[in-house]
Amino acid sequence: DGGITQSPKYLFRKEGQNVTLSCEQNLNHDAMYWYRQDPGQGLRLIYYSQIVNDFQKGDIAEGYSVSREKKESFPLTVTSAQKNPTAFYLCASSLGYEQFFGPGTRLTVL
Amino acid sequence: AQSVTQPDIHITVSEGASLELRCNYSYGATPYLFWYVQSPGQGLQLLLKYFSGDTLVQGIKGFEAEFKRSQSSFNLRKPSVHWSDAAEYFCAVAADQDSGYALNFGKGTSLLVTP
């Protein structure tokens, strides 16, 4: 089955801790994206990567970091510098304009 | 800069009634437009997309959308709503190559279906 997997589904973090959200795709897509979703705000772009070993900041990159060492994987690290990290995080991949989304990870800061 | 506006935050319709969700966009060139649906706590599922050609596009689950360049709109319609259509709906426009074709989303419309 081709698709995008995100893990974990739920993640709890204490203030001051870094956490890493996993995103894996087996669709052989070149581009991958991370979006953050808050109630009533739609989705906002955090980072994107069009090819391996290259990535670009999106609209709300502060407090986040990413890596793209493999085509299939695009992990997102939420650092302690992110002031309000509690949100729903969605990963996507694309071949051209159409994006396919993973099931999301809900991060809660305690 | 591109932007997407969904004027209706919440919409309530009766089961079996028709539905129209509004979407307006701001984009200089020919837009690539999408409608996605999201059930609570889930990812986004693509309903339909418009790239070019026929301005009336058909999607999954009986949805359709019409691209109107003169009105900068891409409204989503369904002739008869089912209870299972209750969800959050997002309109999106693709950014250009400089932005990696990332999507700019509207803030969403929450659809409630009553018996």
Side-chain angles (χ1 to χ4, degrees):
Chain A
D1 255 354
I4 302 173
T5 57
Q6 291 186 242
S7 61
K9 186 172 178 64
Y10 298 97
L11 186 57
F12 298 90
R13 186 194 95 174
K14 293 182 180 179
E15 285 192 23
Q17 287 182 333
N18 293 354
V19 289
T20 298
L21 283 59
S22 170
C23 177
E24 304 277 334
Q25 56 101 358
N26 60 5
L27 300 169
N28 199 33
H29 288 169
D30 292 317
M32 298 186 74
Y33 309 81
W34 275 105
Y35 294 91
R36 170 179 171 144
Q37 185 178 20
D38 297 282
Q41 294 297 314
L43 282 74
R44 293 178 290 169
L45 182 66
I46 305 173
Y47 268 97
Y48 65 94
S49 169
Q50 293 180 276
I51 57 172
V52 174
N53 292 322
D54 185 60
F55 47 83
Q56 304 296 329
K57 292 181 179 180
D59 300 321
I60 56 165
E62 185 175 352
Y64 300 97
S65 66
V66 294
S67 63
R68 187 84 187 277
E69 297 176 0
K70 299 186 300 181
K71 188 175 185 178
E72 303 78 21
S73 179
F74 191 40
L76 173 74
T77 297
V78 184
T79 75
S80 57
Q82 170 51 235
K83 298 306 179 188
N84 185 22
T86 294
F88 191 53
Y89 291 86
L90 287 157
C91 177
S93 70
S94 75
L95 194 63
Y97 290 99
E98 185 174 338
Q99 292 190 16
F100 299 83
F101 285 81
T105 291
R106 184 166 299 281
L107 172 63
T108 302
V109 174
L110 304 173
Chain B
Q2 302 131 3
S3 65
V4 178
T5 302
Q6 294 180 245
D8 304 305
I9 298 174
H10 300 284
I11 281 186
T12 300
V13 299
S14 300
E15 190 168 15
S18 63
L19 171 70
E20 183 170 31
L21 302 182
R22 296 183 291 164
C23 173
N24 293 98
Y25 66 90
S26 172
Y27 189 59
T30 300
Y32 295 90
L33 294 159
F34 305 83
W35 275 100
Y36 285 88
V37 61
Q38 183 182 37
S39 298
Q42 303 298 315
L44 273 66
Q45 182 182 23
L46 180 68
L47 286 175
L48 46 77
K49 59 185 182 282
Y50 173 78
F51 289 172
S52 64
D54 192 347
T55 56
L56 184 64
V57 293
Q58 302 297 320
I60 62 171
K61 303 186 180 186
F63 286 91
E64 67 178 26
E66 186 170 12
F67 170 63
K68 293 186 177 180
R69 184 185 299 275
S70 62
Q71 298 178 17
S72 297
S73 69
F74 188 55
N75 294 348
L76 182 71
R77 301 194 293 248
K78 186 169 185 178
S80 177
V81 171
H82 189 262
W83 63 266
S84 60
D85 293 323
E88 188 91 16
Y89 291 82
F90 293 96
C91 181
V93 61
D96 54 28
Q97 187 175 7
D98 289 343
S99 299
Y101 304 121
L103 295 177
N104 291 303
F105 286 87
K107 294 187 176 182
T109 297
S110 179
L111 174 65
L112 176 65
V113 180
T114 59

